[in-house]
mmCIF file of all heavy atoms in Angstrom:
data_model
loop_
_atom_site.group_PDB
_atom_site.id
_atom_site.type_symbol
_atom_site.label_atom_id
_atom_site.label_comp_id
_atom_site.label_asym_id
_atom_site.label_seq_id
_atom_site.Cartn_x
_atom_site.Cartn_y
_atom_site.Cartn_z
ATOM 1 N N ASN A 193 -36.060 -0.873 11.370
ATOM 2 C CA ASN A 193 -36.502 -2.085 10.667
ATOM 3 C C ASN A 193 -37.988 -2.035 10.340
ATOM 4 O O ASN A 193 -38.398 -2.412 9.238
ATOM 5 C CB ASN A 193 -36.171 -3.333 11.488
ATOM 6 C CG ASN A 193 -34.693 -3.639 11.496
ATOM 7 O OD1 ASN A 193 -33.952 -3.231 10.605
ATOM 8 N ND2 ASN A 193 -34.243 -4.345 12.515
ATOM 9 N N ALA A 194 -38.801 -1.544 11.269
ATOM 10 C CA ALA A 194 -40.243 -1.421 11.016
ATOM 11 C C ALA A 194 -40.506 -0.436 9.882
ATOM 12 O O ALA A 194 -41.372 -0.668 9.027
ATOM 13 C CB ALA A 194 -40.964 -0.979 12.286
ATOM 14 N N THR A 195 -39.747 0.640 9.842
ATOM 15 C CA THR A 195 -39.894 1.629 8.770
ATOM 16 C C THR A 195 -39.529 1.027 7.427
ATOM 17 O O THR A 195 -40.225 1.223 6.422
ATOM 18 C CB THR A 195 -39.016 2.869 9.059
ATOM 19 O OG1 THR A 195 -39.404 3.411 10.327
ATOM 20 C CG2 THR A 195 -39.160 3.921 7.981
ATOM 21 N N LYS A 196 -38.468 0.248 7.398
ATOM 22 C CA LYS A 196 -38.031 -0.377 6.141
ATOM 23 C C LYS A 196 -39.033 -1.416 5.641
ATOM 24 O O LYS A 196 -39.204 -1.568 4.432
ATOM 25 C CB LYS A 196 -36.639 -0.979 6.307
ATOM 26 C CG LYS A 196 -35.565 0.094 6.396
ATOM 27 C CD LYS A 196 -34.176 -0.499 6.507
ATOM 28 C CE LYS A 196 -33.122 0.593 6.478
ATOM 29 N NZ LYS A 196 -31.757 0.050 6.534
ATOM 30 N N VAL A 197 -39.710 -2.096 6.554
ATOM 31 C CA VAL A 197 -40.758 -3.048 6.152
ATOM 32 C C VAL A 197 -41.872 -2.309 5.411
ATOM 33 O O VAL A 197 -42.359 -2.758 4.368
ATOM 34 C CB VAL A 197 -41.315 -3.815 7.376
ATOM 35 C CG1 VAL A 197 -42.600 -4.552 7.033
ATOM 36 C CG2 VAL A 197 -40.273 -4.781 7.911
ATOM 37 N N VAL A 198 -42.266 -1.155 5.944
ATOM 38 C CA VAL A 198 -43.312 -0.355 5.298
ATOM 39 C C VAL A 198 -42.809 0.186 3.960
ATOM 40 O O VAL A 198 -43.541 0.173 2.965
ATOM 41 C CB VAL A 198 -43.768 0.798 6.223
ATOM 42 C CG1 VAL A 198 -44.716 1.729 5.503
ATOM 43 C CG2 VAL A 198 -44.414 0.233 7.477
ATOM 44 N N LEU A 199 -41.567 0.636 3.917
ATOM 45 C CA LEU A 199 -41.002 1.149 2.660
ATOM 46 C C LEU A 199 -40.996 0.076 1.574
ATOM 47 O O LEU A 199 -41.280 0.371 0.410
ATOM 48 C CB LEU A 199 -39.581 1.669 2.891
ATOM 49 C CG LEU A 199 -39.464 2.960 3.691
ATOM 50 C CD1 LEU A 199 -38.020 3.209 4.069
ATOM 51 C CD2 LEU A 199 -40.034 4.129 2.913
ATOM 52 N N ASP A 200 -40.679 -1.143 1.944
ATOM 53 C CA ASP A 200 -40.653 -2.251 0.976
ATOM 54 C C ASP A 200 -42.011 -2.447 0.304
ATOM 55 O O ASP A 200 -42.083 -2.901 -0.837
ATOM 56 C CB ASP A 200 -40.248 -3.557 1.655
ATOM 57 C CG ASP A 200 -38.774 -3.613 2.001
ATOM 58 O OD1 ASP A 200 -37.973 -2.899 1.367
ATOM 59 O OD2 ASP A 200 -38.421 -4.395 2.911
ATOM 60 N N LYS A 201 -43.079 -2.090 0.987
ATOM 61 C CA LYS A 201 -44.438 -2.310 0.479
ATOM 62 C C LYS A 201 -44.949 -1.171 -0.395
ATOM 63 O O LYS A 201 -46.026 -1.274 -0.970
ATOM 64 C CB LYS A 201 -45.392 -2.522 1.648
ATOM 65 C CG LYS A 201 -45.073 -3.780 2.437
ATOM 66 C CD LYS A 201 -45.993 -3.940 3.615
ATOM 67 C CE LYS A 201 -45.623 -5.199 4.387
ATOM 68 N NZ LYS A 201 -46.500 -5.406 5.535
ATOM 69 N N GLN A 202 -44.181 -0.092 -0.509
ATOM 70 C CA GLN A 202 -44.620 1.062 -1.285
ATOM 71 C C GLN A 202 -44.334 0.855 -2.771
ATOM 72 O O GLN A 202 -43.361 0.214 -3.134
ATOM 73 C CB GLN A 202 -43.934 2.330 -0.791
ATOM 74 C CG GLN A 202 -44.164 2.607 0.686
ATOM 75 C CD GLN A 202 -45.625 2.557 1.080
ATOM 76 O OE1 GLN A 202 -46.456 3.273 0.531
ATOM 77 N NE2 GLN A 202 -45.948 1.689 2.030
ATOM 78 N N ASP A 203 -45.200 1.424 -3.615
ATOM 79 C CA ASP A 203 -45.075 1.256 -5.062
ATOM 80 C C ASP A 203 -44.094 2.222 -5.715
ATOM 81 O O ASP A 203 -43.592 1.958 -6.801
ATOM 82 C CB ASP A 203 -46.446 1.423 -5.741
ATOM 83 C CG ASP A 203 -47.390 0.287 -5.390
ATOM 84 O OD1 ASP A 203 -46.923 -0.838 -5.172
ATOM 85 O OD2 ASP A 203 -48.602 0.553 -5.324
ATOM 86 N N GLY A 204 -43.827 3.340 -5.082
ATOM 87 C CA GLY A 204 -42.970 4.343 -5.706
ATOM 88 C C GLY A 204 -42.122 5.058 -4.680
ATOM 89 O O GLY A 204 -42.007 4.614 -3.536
ATOM 90 N N PRO A 205 -41.537 6.171 -5.083
ATOM 91 C CA PRO A 205 -40.674 6.936 -4.189
ATOM 92 C C PRO A 205 -41.439 7.457 -2.969
ATOM 93 O O PRO A 205 -42.633 7.744 -3.042
ATOM 94 C CB PRO A 205 -40.200 8.108 -5.045
ATOM 95 C CG PRO A 205 -40.540 7.773 -6.441
ATOM 96 C CD PRO A 205 -41.639 6.766 -6.410
ATOM 97 N N VAL A 206 -40.718 7.571 -1.867
ATOM 98 C CA VAL A 206 -41.311 7.968 -0.595
ATOM 99 C C VAL A 206 -40.517 9.134 -0.007
ATOM 100 O O VAL A 206 -39.292 9.170 -0.103
ATOM 101 C CB VAL A 206 -41.276 6.779 0.393
ATOM 102 C CG1 VAL A 206 -41.760 7.180 1.765
ATOM 103 C CG2 VAL A 206 -42.091 5.612 -0.138
ATOM 104 N N ILE A 207 -41.221 10.063 0.611
ATOM 105 C CA ILE A 207 -40.590 11.112 1.400
ATOM 106 C C ILE A 207 -40.858 10.783 2.861
ATOM 107 O O ILE A 207 -42.008 10.651 3.275
ATOM 108 C CB ILE A 207 -41.154 12.503 1.053
ATOM 109 C CG1 ILE A 207 -40.841 12.844 -0.403
ATOM 110 C CG2 ILE A 207 -40.596 13.563 2.000
ATOM 111 C CD1 ILE A 207 -41.487 14.109 -0.900
ATOM 112 N N LEU A 208 -39.775 10.618 3.627
ATOM 113 C CA LEU A 208 -39.922 10.329 5.052
ATOM 114 C C LEU A 208 -39.861 11.627 5.831
ATOM 115 O O LEU A 208 -38.996 12.467 5.588
ATOM 116 C CB LEU A 208 -38.795 9.413 5.542
ATOM 117 C CG LEU A 208 -38.768 7.984 5.017
ATOM 118 C CD1 LEU A 208 -37.568 7.242 5.611
ATOM 119 C CD2 LEU A 208 -40.059 7.258 5.355
ATOM 120 N N ALA A 209 -40.781 11.786 6.766
ATOM 121 C CA ALA A 209 -40.770 12.935 7.667
ATOM 122 C C ALA A 209 -40.632 12.425 9.086
ATOM 123 O O ALA A 209 -41.252 11.424 9.461
ATOM 124 C CB ALA A 209 -42.059 13.737 7.519
ATOM 125 N N GLY A 210 -39.788 13.096 9.858
ATOM 126 C CA GLY A 210 -39.590 12.669 11.234
ATOM 127 C C GLY A 210 -39.650 13.840 12.191
ATOM 128 O O GLY A 210 -39.119 14.912 11.922
ATOM 129 N N HIS A 211 -40.319 13.621 13.314
ATOM 130 C CA HIS A 211 -40.413 14.611 14.381
ATOM 131 C C HIS A 211 -39.732 14.026 15.616
ATOM 132 O O HIS A 211 -39.945 12.859 15.949
ATOM 133 C CB HIS A 211 -41.888 14.910 14.681
ATOM 134 C CG HIS A 211 -42.071 15.778 15.885
ATOM 135 N ND1 HIS A 211 -42.240 15.258 17.139
ATOM 136 C CD2 HIS A 211 -42.071 17.121 16.023
ATOM 137 C CE1 HIS A 211 -42.368 16.249 18.001
ATOM 138 N NE2 HIS A 211 -42.264 17.387 17.349
ATOM 139 N N SER A 212 -38.901 14.814 16.268
ATOM 140 C CA SER A 212 -38.223 14.419 17.486
ATOM 141 C C SER A 212 -37.424 13.137 17.249
ATOM 142 O O SER A 212 -36.570 13.095 16.366
ATOM 143 C CB SER A 212 -39.240 14.279 18.619
ATOM 144 O OG SER A 212 -38.587 14.080 19.844
ATOM 145 N N TRP A 213 -37.717 12.083 17.982
ATOM 146 C CA TRP A 213 -37.021 10.792 17.834
ATOM 147 C C TRP A 213 -37.094 10.279 16.405
ATOM 148 O O TRP A 213 -36.172 9.629 15.904
ATOM 149 C CB TRP A 213 -37.634 9.767 18.793
ATOM 150 C CG TRP A 213 -37.200 8.351 18.563
ATOM 151 C CD1 TRP A 213 -37.916 7.374 17.913
ATOM 152 C CD2 TRP A 213 -35.975 7.753 18.953
ATOM 153 N NE1 TRP A 213 -37.200 6.200 17.885
ATOM 154 C CE2 TRP A 213 -35.988 6.417 18.525
ATOM 155 C CE3 TRP A 213 -34.849 8.208 19.614
ATOM 156 C CZ2 TRP A 213 -34.950 5.539 18.747
ATOM 157 C CZ3 TRP A 213 -33.820 7.328 19.836
ATOM 158 C CH2 TRP A 213 -33.876 6.012 19.406
ATOM 159 N N GLY A 214 -38.170 10.586 15.721
ATOM 160 C CA GLY A 214 -38.345 10.138 14.339
ATOM 161 C C GLY A 214 -37.242 10.627 13.417
ATOM 162 O O GLY A 214 -36.959 10.005 12.393
ATOM 163 N N GLY A 215 -36.589 11.732 13.784
ATOM 164 C CA GLY A 215 -35.471 12.221 12.987
ATOM 165 C C GLY A 215 -34.330 11.226 12.937
ATOM 166 O O GLY A 215 -33.710 11.009 11.890
ATOM 167 N N ALA A 216 -34.058 10.600 14.067
ATOM 168 C CA ALA A 216 -33.017 9.568 14.111
ATOM 169 C C ALA A 216 -33.429 8.357 13.282
ATOM 170 O O ALA A 216 -32.618 7.771 12.564
ATOM 171 C CB ALA A 216 -32.746 9.165 15.554
#
């Protein structure tokens, strides 16, 4: 949910990168 809040604020396409737990 916190990630989606940040995504909502972006102006264009986003590439998400995750390490360890971040992959989930």
Side-chain angles (χ1 to χ4, degrees):
N193 288 337
T195 302
K196 288 182 175 182
V197 167
V198 173
L199 289 169
D200 287 337
K201 296 178 181 181
Q202 303 309 303
D203 292 329
V206 175
I207 297 173
L208 293 179
H211 172 269
S212 188
W213 169 259

